Amino acid sequence: MSSVLGVSVGAGAVRVARPHAGNSAGRGTVQPQAADAFDVQAVPVGERRVEELAADAIGAVLTADPRIAATAIAYRDEQHARAVRAELARRQFTNYELVPDVIAALEYLEFSGELQGFGTVALYDLGASGLSVTVVDTASRQVNYTERTSDISGDYLDSLIREQQIASGRIAHPPDAAGLAALDALCRTAKEQLSESSAVALPSTEGLVLLSQENFEALIMLAVESSARMARDVILRSEQPVQAVALIGGCAQIPLVARVLRRWLGVPVLVPANPGTVAARGATLLARPMRQRPAAAPFPAAFENSIPAQHDSNPPLLSSAGAVEKFSRRREISIAGVAVGALVVVAAIGVSLGWGPQVLEHDSQSSGAATSSAVVTTTRPSPETTTVAPSTTDATNESLAAPPPRRETTTTTEAPPPPGPNTITIIPGLPPVIVPTLPPLFPAPAGPAG
């Protein structure tokens, strides 16, 4: 007969829960009403990483009981879940699932009958590292609002007991960190025993820890009232009609906490048996064997080999067409630059020799002629004049697609005027340069008088 395993990973301890023999993993077969329906074990975290301790505990239980067919692990937040998942993957654990601790606690509280008749509840989870208050709908399992704080925690309450014991003079201050940790553990034990008795006396190497219920409640009253104020604010911000508050976590069994919350909130406050193990028992109820999924089909070798050929064939074609186009344009630009440079040199020589006015006069006449010829050309309706020059997007995207075919347009241009006696053609294809006639430097000698 198969069994299941539920695990809750807290900051102070890792708790492992299994249903007793005779209970299976199905819904309704486990009897959560009975406090002894589960076998629960807690392992203190100490100085180890909590995810490593959780993996060790799961591995030890799976090795000891091969009948376990499914494991569910309750986590607090996404960062917590990622750390646990990474550690389990490193150890090659596969048959498990991660569930939020709020959902796990809600699962157990519903099956135990604690939440019967309540639609919207607030979960007050006071653990070793902090307090979480979550407003959740019991029917849809939807979390409406949640907040967490570390201002009040189990560790903080332990430190209050420690400082009170040192201040009383009965216990000397520990000389090192190891002694301080040992005293904190002793104060934690005293806090847990006070939930069932009115006073405790625990010996230690540094002295005797004496604490009564009255002194303990006086120490933690301000912190508990602060937590009740936070719970009230969370309920108000959620804008949901909260009908009850359920206390879970290791510190939920302190009697003062339930009394203060009832006074501050005015709604029923539920405290289940062993509230620190609620999440682990709820994870046990949620554990389901992992379904066998078909293995993923291997990547086809033929298709894999065809992909590089496709990538290797297209880019050279595109790059070669773009390269030819760019090379031809660079040639045209280079020839035009040489021509412009030659004209600038000739103009500079003419200005230095005093030909500037004549050259400028000829340029104005030629520009006027060009203007008149352009006007004459535009007055003739011709199909070729309606063609639009290629847009700039073609030049911009020339590297993305092959250039479009060029169309040779036939334009009618007037023949250039015949060269005059003083014109010199410097570059073929460009207008000739008019060289003015230089006046004689010295007057011609006069002829003999006749």
Side-chain angles (χ1 to χ4, degrees), residues 346-441:
V346 172
I349 295 174
V351 171
S352 63
L353 294 178
W355 303 339
Q358 298 179 5
V359 173
L360 296 175
E361 181 180 358
H362 183 270
D363 290 341
S364 63
Q365 293 176 0
S366 59
S367 64
T371 305
S372 61
S373 64
V375 172
V376 173
T377 304
T378 55
T379 54
R380 300 187 195 133
S382 175
E384 288 77 11
T385 57
T386 60
T387 60
V388 182
S391 61
T392 57
T393 56
D394 294 338
T396 305
N397 299 330
E398 62 182 0
S399 61
L400 300 179
R406 297 178 177 272
R407 297 182 180 179
E408 299 293 337
T409 58
T410 58
T411 56
T412 57
T413 56
E414 296 182 358
N422 295 334
T423 59
I424 299 176
T425 301
I426 300 177
I427 299 175
L430 296 179
V433 178
I434 300 177
V435 180
T437 304
L438 297 176
L441 299 177

Side-chain angles (χ1 to χ4, degrees), residues 46-425:
E47 300 297 329
R48 301 187 57 186
R49 294 171 55 230
V50 64
E51 55 269 17
E52 291 182 355
L53 182 61
D56 289 343
I58 294 173
V61 175
L62 293 179
T63 303
D65 189 358
R67 298 179 298 109
I68 294 177
T71 302
I73 306 170
Y75 65 91
R76 184 178 64 247
D77 51 26
E78 291 299 328
Q79 183 179 1
H80 192 196
R82 284 194 297 268
V84 173
R85 187 183 295 111
E87 183 64 26
L88 295 179
R90 189 178 68 85
R91 306 193 185 197
Q92 299 181 354
F93 289 164
T94 56
N95 191 14
Y96 70 92
E97 59 179 330
L98 295 173
V99 295
D101 56 358
V102 172
I103 304 301
L106 195 65
E107 180 76 12
Y108 176 78
L109 293 174
E110 283 187 341
F111 273 87
S112 64
E114 301 282 349
L115 299 181
Q116 185 176 2
F118 299 114
T120 304
V121 298
L123 296 181
Y124 177 100
D125 186 359
L126 183 56
S129 61
L131 168 66
S132 298
V133 180
T134 305
V135 177
V136 61
D137 185 87
T138 58
S140 63
R141 304 291 179 91
Q142 180 181 0
V143 175
N144 297 313
Y145 196 83
T146 183
E147 282 188 14
R148 181 172 177 83
T149 181
S150 58
D151 292 342
I152 179 174
S153 62
D155 292 343
Y156 175 69
L157 301 183
D158 298 340
S159 66
L160 292 179
I161 298 174
R162 180 194 65 208
E163 296 302 323
Q164 187 267 347
Q165 294 295 312
I166 294 176
S168 65
R170 290 189 299 269
I171 293 182
H173 196 286
D176 52 11
L180 192 63
L183 180 58
D184 287 340
L186 193 64
C187 294
R188 186 178 305 111
T189 304
K191 177 189 66 179
E192 294 172 354
Q193 291 184 4
L194 281 176
S195 60
E196 299 177 354
S197 61
S198 58
V200 293
L202 300 176
S204 69
T205 57
E206 306 298 334
L208 184 64
V209 175
L210 294 176
L211 187 63
S212 64
Q213 185 72 249
E214 183 180 358
N215 292 337
F216 176 61
E217 291 182 354
L219 284 176
I220 66 174
M221 176 62 74
L222 292 179
V224 174
E225 288 184 344
S226 177
S227 70
R229 185 182 301 108
M230 173 188 168
R232 183 193 61 185
D233 294 342
V234 169
I235 293 174
L236 293 176
R237 281 191 285 268
S238 69
E239 299 180 353
Q240 299 295 323
V242 174
Q243 301 170 350
V245 176
L247 306 189
I248 60 176
C251 296
Q253 58 189 354
I254 300 175
L256 178 66
V257 175
R259 294 202 307 268
V260 171
L261 287 176
R262 289 189 184 97
R263 185 172 67 249
W264 275 74
L265 303 179
V267 296
V269 176
L270 313 174
V271 183
N274 300 322
T277 63
V278 167
R281 285 180 281 178
T284 304
L285 297 172
L286 293 173
R288 297 291 182 272
M290 184 179 62
R291 297 179 180 178
Q292 298 295 331
R293 302 183 181 93
F299 199 72
F303 182 70
E304 184 179 3
N305 295 333
S306 65
I307 292 178
Q310 182 179 0
H311 286 285
D312 293 337
S313 58
N314 289 337
L317 294 177
L318 298 178
S319 60
S320 60
V324 171
E325 181 68 19
K326 292 180 180 179
F327 179 74
S328 59
R329 293 193 178 187
R330 288 175 182 172
R331 252 184 104 180
E332 295 174 3
I333 293 174
S334 300
I335 295 174
V338 173
V340 172
L343 289 178
V344 171
V345 172
V346 172
I349 295 174
V351 171
S352 63
L353 294 178
W355 303 339
Q358 298 179 5
V359 173
L360 296 175
E361 181 180 358
H362 183 270
D363 290 341
S364 63
Q365 293 176 0
S366 59
S367 64
T371 305
S372 61
S373 64
V375 172
V376 173
T377 304
T378 55
T379 54
R380 300 187 195 133
S382 175
E384 288 77 11
T385 57
T386 60
T387 60
V388 182
S391 61
T392 57
T393 56
D394 294 338
T396 305
N397 299 330
E398 62 182 0
S399 61
L400 300 179
R406 297 178 177 272
R407 297 182 180 179
E408 299 293 337
T409 58
T410 58
T411 56
T412 57
T413 56
E414 296 182 358
N422 295 334
T423 59
I424 299 176
T425 301

